[in-house]
Amino acid sequence: MNDGARLILASASPRRHELLAQIYPVFEVMPAEVEEQEDPTTAPRVMVAHNAAIKAAWVAERQPDAFVLGADTTVFIGNRVLNKPANAAEARAMLRELSGRTHTVFTGLVLTCAASGLTLSDYVTSEVTFKPLSEALIEAYLAKVHTLDKAGGYSIQEHGEMIVAARRGSLSNIIGLPLDETKQLLESAGLPCVSGSN
């Protein structure tokens, strides 16, 4: 157990902040100022692992005595990744592509501490099946949910019942931070967590 250990979340995502607080209530937030890899032809597991690692490393370099958690999430369908849409037109195009199909959500996790030389990593996948989406339903959904900061152009926890038919695997992974695996990483590093999962 690391008494007095500091944990920093290397992300500005309010969803990751809310999820992490469920299992580790006291932590700091320092968004990493890095350029994420977003090549749509890159293998999703490689992309999320790379992005999580560079986020964690950027913060750890500036806060070497702290434990730093980096995470990255993307959507994969039809042999390509769907990152955050650049605008509303791109969000509409993503929802059309996801309509009536099953896609995979990948999240990469990295926990590092520069002072101790510790680095732990993991990745998680979940599957989401969309309902067939009409143009009217797409417009109704986008009128309710701000999707430009969300991989795949949607948010399962915000009016997900409008667009999602089924899911398999971790819900928290689809939202952006898989809690079971995050808890395992933290506890492996001697950072005790409170209850909370999936």
Side-chain angles (χ1 to χ4, degrees), residues 27-57:
F27 61 94
E28 302 167 43
V29 174
M30 180 181 291
E33 297 176 18
V34 297
E35 185 171 341
E36 297 180 32
Q37 178 182 349
E38 294 193 341
D39 181 350
T41 63
T42 301
R45 180 179 176 180
V46 173
M47 175 183 290
V48 297
H50 170 81
N51 288 340
I54 62 172
K55 291 175 187 178

Side-chain angles (χ1 to χ4, degrees), residues 2 6 19 23 33-34 54 56 58-59 64 82 92 104-105 171 186:
N2 286 285
R6 294 167 58 217
L19 286 165
I23 60 170
E33 297 176 18
V34 297
I54 62 172
W58 189 92
V59 174
L82 301 182
R92 288 187 187 92
T104 305
V105 180
L171 175 61
L186 294 173

Side-chain angles (χ1 to χ4, degrees), residues 15 38 47 73-77 80-99 103-106 128 130 133 138 141-142 145-156 163-164 174-175:
R15 294 167 299 284
E38 294 193 341
M47 175 183 290
T73 301
T74 198
V75 166
F76 183 68
I77 188 169
R80 72 188 192 97
V81 299
L82 301 182
N83 293 305
K84 298 170 186 174
N87 50 50
E90 197 167 291
R92 288 187 187 92
M94 288 182 179
L95 291 173
R96 290 186 195 112
E97 185 167 358
L98 296 171
S99 173
H103 62 270
T104 305
V105 180
F106 285 78
V128 180
F130 265 35
L133 306 181
I138 288 173
Y141 179 74
L142 291 176
V145 181
H146 175 72
T147 66
L148 299 188
D149 63 339
K150 299 171 180 71
Y154 78 97
S155 171
I156 195 168
I163 57 173
V164 174
I174 300 166
I175 297 171

